[in-house]
Amino acid sequence: MSFVRLLVSFAVLLVSLGHLLVSSCATLGFVLFTREFRTFTREFRTFTREFCCFTREFGSFTREFVLFTRKLLRSRKKRT
């Protein structure tokens, strides 16, 4: 009977250690994922900021190009 008890206790110990190992790996994985996700969001924020600046500059360029084209068309209409 004591041998069976010892075997059950050993099995419980192994299961507990396995659970501890799995939960530790899961925690470590979550920490690493969180770190990587934080880096990704920081880089994405930088990209978004730069893209907004580019869009603003492109809008200014487009506006200037439209005004220039209108002036050019008006000056051609006046010549004819």
Side-chain angles (χ1 to χ4, degrees):
M1 185 68 177
S2 74
F3 180 71
V4 173
R5 228 184 228 172
L6 181 66
L7 208 60
V8 169
S9 297
F10 186 68
V12 168
L13 178 66
L14 281 179
V15 168
S16 298
L17 286 175
H19 183 267
L20 181 66
L21 180 66
V22 167
S23 61
S24 297
C25 288
T27 304
L28 180 63
F30 184 73
V31 167
L32 292 175
F33 169 77
T34 307
R35 234 181 249 159
E36 289 297 318
F37 188 72
R38 196 177 313 135
T39 303
F40 167 75
T41 51
R42 189 179 315 120
E43 289 175 0
F44 187 73
R45 216 177 307 133
T46 304
F47 166 76
T48 307
R49 193 177 311 119
E50 289 176 1
F51 187 73
C52 286
C53 290
F54 167 76
T55 307
R56 194 177 310 119
E57 290 296 319
F58 188 72
S60 298
F61 166 76
T62 306
R63 196 174 313 111
E64 291 295 322
F65 184 74
V66 166
L67 291 175
F68 171 73
T69 307
R70 284 181 186 163
K71 279 184 184 178
L72 190 63
L73 289 174
R74 283 185 198 141
S75 67
R76 284 190 178 177
K77 283 183 182 179
K78 289 179 183 177
R79 287 184 196 166
T80 58

